[in-house]
Amino acid sequence: MNASIIKSTFLTHFSTPPALIARAPGRINLIGEHTDYNHGFVLPAAIDKAIWMAAGPRTDGRFAFFAHDLGEFFISENEKPVFQERQSWANYLLGVVSEARKDGLVFGGMNLVFGGDVPLGAGLSSSAAIESGAMFILNELYNLKLSKMEIVRLAQRGENHFVGMKCGIMDMFASVMGREDHVVRLDCRSLEYEYFPFDALDFSLVLFDSGVKHALVDSEYNTRREECEAGVSILKKFDSSISSLRDVSLPFLKKHENELLATVFKRCKFIVEEIGRVERACVALQKSDFKTLGKLMFECHEGLDLDYAVCVPETNFLVESAQRFSPQGMVLGARQMGGGFGGCTINLLKTSALTAFSEETSAAYRQVFGIDLKIYPVRLTAGTEVVQTLSLPAFSFQPLPFTIQNGTTKFK
Ligand code: GLA
């Protein structure tokens, strides 16, 4: 996908050139999993896999979207964003419209085409890229004067309130705020952030896509959140200054282990340890100590599996394969990345080991699970950006050749 494909798709569908073209990247997360909704730290980065969007204004207030990769078209019946049962992908776009309206922002309709190469269901946050990209574009088109952080928050609210997934802020933040060759540590409580160069020279970050995404991911994600909240509500009885797991130390948690359900204790333990790991990872990065960074990634995976219980046999297998390459110093660290229950593992390895590691792991993975492993080396890139601004055409709206039948848009 690139600017010229997305531009010509726009022209085909809307018979007018777009006003602007933007790129909204997917993200990785080096370490700091499930810490965002616990007000801890995360260490994500935007990557060279992105959603491209071409957009232009509409005078009738309606929202018309073409999903290039699905070959599907959607248009709202009027200016009101209504949740879509059937074309559920449209909700990512309608969600930000809905939240922006709640904030009293004034804007007209929009034609938008989007598509890209962020693999779906791989834990690289394609949906967050769509949401933050759409909000970013609305801001540009209608000069809403939103800051980048306001765009991030609106995109997250769209996902939380309209789509219904109670995700934290990390994915949208990374997609919007990424910087080339940097990871960014976000304090999810204060929203302060700091960039750390990731110029690993002889080392690479490579994703192994397990090809598995379990259907229970959203419901289990929300359950984990509730379990953390349950822990906080008990722990705060012993220290009223606790408002999230960010405020809890490991000794304090262990002291109160018996007051918590065993499952809740394990979830809280993982989060408290993981927040600490992000801080140690940043220190390691500053010293270019990739060995320590890798060790922390392995530790994170173990916690995700044993305490947070969000791993699956497939991702465990991929991380075990990385561990086999670790004693020789070829693979420094690996772990399951993102919300869990499949998706990608992220590997930190010696660039020279990539071929041997990938080939051996792919062959074994195919043999055990019958799945062809997809391998994505990643480069860290800038966050959401306008790639091209075209001159706005003297605006005249041409009705499109479609009808709406039973809620589905059909071309005439
Ligand atoms: C998903 C969510 C994020 C974050 C991760 C886990 O990607 O969208 O907010 O919680 O899971 O770290």
XYZ file of all heavy atoms in Angstrom, residues 138-190:
424
model
N -9.791 13.925 10.533
C -10.917 14.840 10.800
C -10.383 16.177 11.321
O -10.848 17.252 10.939
C -11.831 14.246 11.866
C -13.109 13.555 11.447
C -13.905 13.155 12.684
C -13.970 14.441 10.545
N -9.406 16.063 12.200
C -8.783 17.254 12.775
C -8.170 18.139 11.684
O -8.324 19.359 11.684
C -7.699 16.805 13.771
C -7.061 17.961 14.491
O -7.748 18.843 14.985
N -5.740 17.974 14.548
N -7.501 17.491 10.731
C -6.853 18.242 9.639
C -7.894 18.833 8.694
O -7.820 19.999 8.331
C -5.940 17.312 8.823
C -4.758 16.771 9.580
C -3.680 17.808 9.843
O -3.464 18.661 8.968
O -3.084 17.766 10.934
N -8.874 18.000 8.329
C -9.866 18.424 7.336
C -10.671 19.623 7.818
O -10.980 20.532 7.056
C -10.865 17.294 7.073
C -10.573 16.258 6.006
C -11.766 15.332 5.866
C -10.262 16.928 4.683
N -11.041 19.574 9.100
C -11.940 20.602 9.622
C -11.264 21.550 10.595
O -11.946 22.284 11.316
C -13.169 19.936 10.265
C -14.082 19.373 9.201
C -14.140 18.017 8.949
C -14.861 20.228 8.411
C -14.958 17.508 7.953
C -15.677 19.726 7.415
C -15.726 18.371 7.189
O -16.536 17.890 6.196
N -9.923 21.490 10.607
C -9.150 22.426 11.415
C -9.685 22.525 12.850
O -9.996 23.589 13.357
C -9.180 23.810 10.717
C -8.111 24.710 11.267
O -7.158 24.237 11.884
N -8.279 26.011 11.071
N -9.777 21.345 13.492
C -10.388 21.287 14.827
C -9.434 21.742 15.925
O -9.836 21.864 17.083
C -10.876 19.853 15.115
C -11.899 19.288 14.131
C -12.256 17.848 14.487
C -13.164 20.140 14.103
N -8.170 21.901 15.568
C -7.154 22.418 16.502
C -6.942 21.526 17.724
O -6.742 22.001 18.844
C -7.498 23.848 16.945
C -7.581 24.821 15.778
C -7.602 26.250 16.260
C -7.327 27.277 15.178
N -8.009 27.131 13.931
N -7.020 20.220 17.484
C -6.778 19.281 18.589
C -5.279 19.028 18.712
O -4.567 18.982 17.708
C -7.467 17.945 18.306
C -8.985 17.966 18.185
C -9.489 16.614 17.684
C -9.610 18.288 19.542
N -4.823 18.831 19.945
C -3.426 18.432 20.134
C -3.323 16.938 19.817
O -4.339 16.227 19.761
C -3.000 18.671 21.581
O -3.679 17.749 22.418
N -2.093 16.463 19.657
C -1.919 15.030 19.361
C -2.474 14.182 20.499
O -3.077 13.139 20.272
C -0.434 14.728 19.173
C 0.090 15.146 17.818
C 1.475 14.586 17.622
C 1.946 14.812 16.201
N 3.226 14.159 15.940
N -2.271 14.637 21.732
C -2.755 13.860 22.869
C -4.286 13.843 22.890
O -4.890 12.838 23.286
C -2.177 14.454 24.157
C -1.832 13.464 25.190
S -0.976 12.003 24.559
C -0.238 11.408 26.008
N -4.925 14.930 22.464
C -6.393 14.933 22.406
C -6.882 13.944 21.338
O -7.902 13.267 21.522
C -6.908 16.351 22.119
C -6.802 17.250 23.341
C -7.041 18.727 23.015
O -6.660 19.201 21.919
O -7.587 19.423 23.889
N -6.131 13.855 20.249
C -6.481 12.885 19.203
C -6.392 11.469 19.769
O -7.278 10.632 19.577
C -5.546 13.060 17.977
C -5.845 14.397 17.303
C -5.672 11.893 17.000
C -4.917 14.779 16.176
N -5.299 11.216 20.506
C -5.103 9.900 21.121
C -6.277 9.564 22.041
O -6.862 8.477 21.977
C -3.771 9.899 21.923
C -3.653 8.654 22.792
C -2.577 10.008 20.986
N -6.654 10.515 22.891
C -7.725 10.257 23.871
C -9.070 10.017 23.185
O -9.835 9.151 23.589
C -7.856 11.438 24.859
C -6.643 11.652 25.749
C -6.265 10.390 26.496
N -7.219 10.017 27.514
C -7.121 10.322 28.796
N -6.078 11.005 29.228
N -8.026 9.944 29.650
N -9.344 10.790 22.129
C -10.614 10.601 21.414
C -10.654 9.234 20.738
O -11.688 8.560 20.729
C -10.813 11.716 20.386
C -11.314 13.030 20.985
C -11.124 14.185 20.009
C -12.794 12.915 21.359
N -9.509 8.834 20.179
C -9.456 7.519 19.516
C -9.679 6.404 20.543
O -10.414 5.446 20.291
C -8.116 7.348 18.809
N -9.081 6.553 21.702
C -9.271 5.532 22.758
C -10.728 5.504 23.208
O -11.318 4.437 23.385
C -8.355 5.827 23.953
C -8.454 4.746 25.023
C -7.913 5.179 26.375
O -7.539 6.345 26.563
N -7.875 4.262 27.311
N -11.313 6.677 23.363
C -12.718 6.721 23.796
C -13.634 6.079 22.759
O -14.628 5.426 23.094
C -13.128 8.171 24.057
C -12.670 8.668 25.423
C -12.825 10.166 25.559
N -14.095 10.653 25.067
C -14.375 11.941 24.830
N -13.444 12.862 25.070
N -15.551 12.309 24.380
N -13.308 6.279 21.479
C -14.099 5.637 20.411
C -14.100 4.125 20.599
O -15.127 3.461 20.497
N -12.910 3.577 20.869
C -12.791 2.118 21.062
C -13.528 1.689 22.348
O -14.260 0.711 22.362
C -11.300 1.766 21.152
C -11.005 0.328 21.480
C -10.984 -0.615 20.285
O -10.588 -0.175 19.195
O -11.373 -1.789 20.456
N -13.346 2.454 23.426
C -13.962 2.092 24.718
C -15.480 2.203 24.666
O -16.187 1.293 25.088
C -13.466 3.008 25.840
C -12.007 2.785 26.229
O -11.438 3.567 26.958
N -11.383 1.737 25.749
N -15.974 3.310 24.158
C -17.408 3.588 24.294
C -18.244 3.160 23.098
O -19.417 2.863 23.246
C -17.640 5.084 24.557
C -16.904 5.566 25.782
N -16.467 6.856 25.938
C -16.499 4.907 26.892
C -15.838 6.970 27.100
N -15.841 5.806 27.690
N -17.665 3.180 21.900
C -18.472 2.874 20.713
C -18.263 1.422 20.282
O -19.208 0.676 20.105
C -18.107 3.828 19.580
C -19.147 3.941 18.509
C -20.212 4.814 18.646
C -19.068 3.174 17.350
C -21.184 4.917 17.655
C -20.024 3.265 16.357
C -21.081 4.145 16.512
N -16.989 1.018 20.196
C -16.690 -0.359 19.785
C -16.938 -1.304 20.965
O -17.379 -2.439 20.784
C -15.228 -0.467 19.282
C -14.874 -1.890 18.894
C -14.995 0.476 18.099
N -16.625 -0.842 22.185
C -16.958 -1.634 23.371
C -15.800 -2.426 23.947
O -16.000 -3.296 24.782
N -14.579 -2.142 23.499
C -13.406 -2.831 24.045
C -12.741 -1.875 25.038
O -12.438 -0.733 24.688
C -12.470 -3.175 22.882
C -11.049 -3.438 23.252
S -10.811 -5.145 23.746
C -9.021 -5.215 23.795
N -12.533 -2.369 26.264
C -12.057 -1.463 27.328
C -10.530 -1.343 27.321
O -9.878 -1.543 28.336
C -12.526 -1.970 28.699
C -14.010 -2.187 28.795
C -14.698 -0.922 29.282
C -16.198 -1.034 29.219
N -16.819 -0.403 28.068
N -9.968 -1.095 26.146
C -8.503 -1.049 26.021
C -7.922 0.163 26.739
O -8.626 1.116 27.044
C -8.115 -0.996 24.549
S -8.570 0.547 23.781
N -6.627 0.097 26.991
C -5.922 1.249 27.553
C -5.519 2.217 26.457
O -6.003 2.126 25.314
N -4.572 3.073 26.780
C -4.231 4.164 25.865
C -3.039 3.848 24.955
O -2.759 4.553 23.992
C -3.943 5.441 26.694
C -3.997 6.678 25.815
C -2.615 5.327 27.455
C -3.949 7.978 26.600
N -2.334 2.738 25.265
C -1.052 2.504 24.611
C -1.101 2.487 23.080
O -0.261 3.117 22.422
C -0.465 1.171 25.086
C 0.759 0.774 24.295
S 1.597 -0.645 24.930
C 0.501 -1.976 24.510
N -2.060 1.768 22.510
C -2.021 1.532 21.065
C -2.183 2.828 20.278
O -1.438 3.096 19.327
C -3.125 0.552 20.654
C -3.028 -0.753 21.421
O -1.967 -1.005 22.016
O -4.019 -1.510 21.428
N -3.154 3.627 20.685
C -3.390 4.894 19.971
C -2.222 5.855 20.204
O -1.810 6.581 19.309
C -4.671 5.568 20.459
C -5.939 4.814 20.219
S -6.127 3.471 21.390
C -7.586 2.703 20.754
N -1.727 5.827 21.430
C -0.593 6.700 21.754
C 0.593 6.377 20.841
O 1.195 7.269 20.243
C -0.195 6.521 23.229
C 1.044 7.268 23.586
C 0.983 8.613 23.918
C 2.278 6.639 23.572
C 2.144 9.324 24.214
C 3.438 7.329 23.864
C 3.380 8.678 24.194
N 0.916 5.090 20.736
C 2.074 4.692 19.926
C 1.862 5.053 18.468
O 2.779 5.534 17.792
C 2.310 3.199 20.074
N 0.647 4.828 17.974
C 0.382 5.099 16.557
C 0.537 6.591 16.241
O 1.070 6.968 15.208
C -1.028 4.609 16.203
O -1.266 4.777 14.837
N 0.088 7.439 17.173
C 0.136 8.883 16.903
C 1.516 9.471 17.219
O 2.034 10.308 16.493
C -0.958 9.620 17.723
C -0.822 11.128 17.595
C -2.344 9.186 17.254
N 2.127 9.011 18.319
C 3.312 9.710 18.843
C 4.641 9.062 18.464
O 5.693 9.518 18.917
C 3.230 9.780 20.374
C 1.952 10.366 20.912
S 1.683 12.070 20.444
C 2.803 12.891 21.529
N 4.617 7.994 17.675
C 5.858 7.301 17.335
C 6.916 8.232 16.749
O 6.604 9.303 16.218
N 8.169 7.821 16.895
C 9.284 8.596 16.327
C 10.271 7.608 15.707
O 10.513 6.549 16.272
C 9.969 9.395 17.439
C 11.121 10.220 16.952
C 11.824 10.948 18.077
N 11.082 12.103 18.541
C 11.522 12.923 19.511
N 12.691 12.698 20.094
N 10.811 13.964 19.877
N 10.819 7.984 14.554
C 11.724 7.088 13.837
C 12.875 6.615 14.736
O 13.502 7.429 15.426
C 12.289 7.805 12.615
C 12.971 6.837 11.688
C 13.255 7.460 10.328
O 12.958 8.643 10.123
O 13.797 6.730 9.486
N 13.135 5.322 14.711
C 14.241 4.704 15.467
C 14.186 4.964 16.971
O 15.231 4.979 17.636
C 15.603 5.167 14.919
C 15.831 4.655 13.510
O 15.308 3.576 13.189
O 16.503 5.346 12.726
N 12.984 5.152 17.493
C 12.830 5.358 18.933
C 11.679 4.520 19.470
O 10.695 4.291 18.771
C 12.510 6.824 19.260
C 13.677 7.732 19.130
N 14.192 8.090 17.909
C 14.451 8.352 20.069
C 15.226 8.904 18.100
N 15.406 9.075 19.399
N 11.823 4.102 20.718
C 10.655 3.619 21.460
C 10.283 4.754 22.392
O 11.081 5.671 22.615
C 10.954 2.327 22.261
C 11.166 1.142 21.345
C 12.152 2.511 23.188
N 9.067 4.709 22.916
C 8.662 5.815 23.784
C 8.050 5.258 25.071
O 7.179 4.392 25.020
C 7.717 6.805 23.030
C 6.579 6.093 22.358
C 7.183 7.882 23.951
N 8.605 5.721 26.172
C 8.049 5.281 27.455
C 6.931 6.248 27.839
O 7.156 7.461 27.934
C 9.104 5.285 28.560
C 8.498 4.793 29.885
C 9.440 4.905 31.044
N 9.820 6.281 31.253
C 10.867 6.673 31.959
N 11.642 5.791 32.525
N 11.153 7.949 32.105
N 5.758 5.684 28.022
C 4.618 6.508 28.434
C 4.266 6.167 29.871
O 4.115 4.992 30.226
C 3.414 6.238 27.525
C 2.106 6.921 27.946
C 2.195 8.441 27.801
C 0.924 6.396 27.134
N 4.137 7.199 30.673
C 3.601 7.041 32.017
C 2.084 7.157 31.847
O 1.563 8.247 31.561
C 4.151 8.173 32.906
C 3.588 8.111 34.307
O 2.486 7.553 34.480
O 4.226 8.659 35.228
N 1.392 6.036 31.978
C -0.040 6.030 31.646
C -0.882 6.714 32.717
O -2.100 6.804 32.571
C -0.527 4.609 31.395
S 0.351 3.834 30.042
N -0.259 7.182 33.781
C -1.019 7.960 34.765
C -0.882 9.458 34.471
O -1.870 10.137 34.271
C -0.538 7.661 36.180
C -1.281 8.497 37.198
C -1.380 7.839 38.528
N -0.071 7.698 39.132
C 0.137 7.037 40.273
N -0.871 6.472 40.890
N 1.323 6.945 40.770
N 0.365 9.927 34.375
C 0.540 11.374 34.175
C 0.478 11.743 32.692
O 0.353 12.907 32.350
C 1.894 11.808 34.727
O 2.924 11.231 33.930
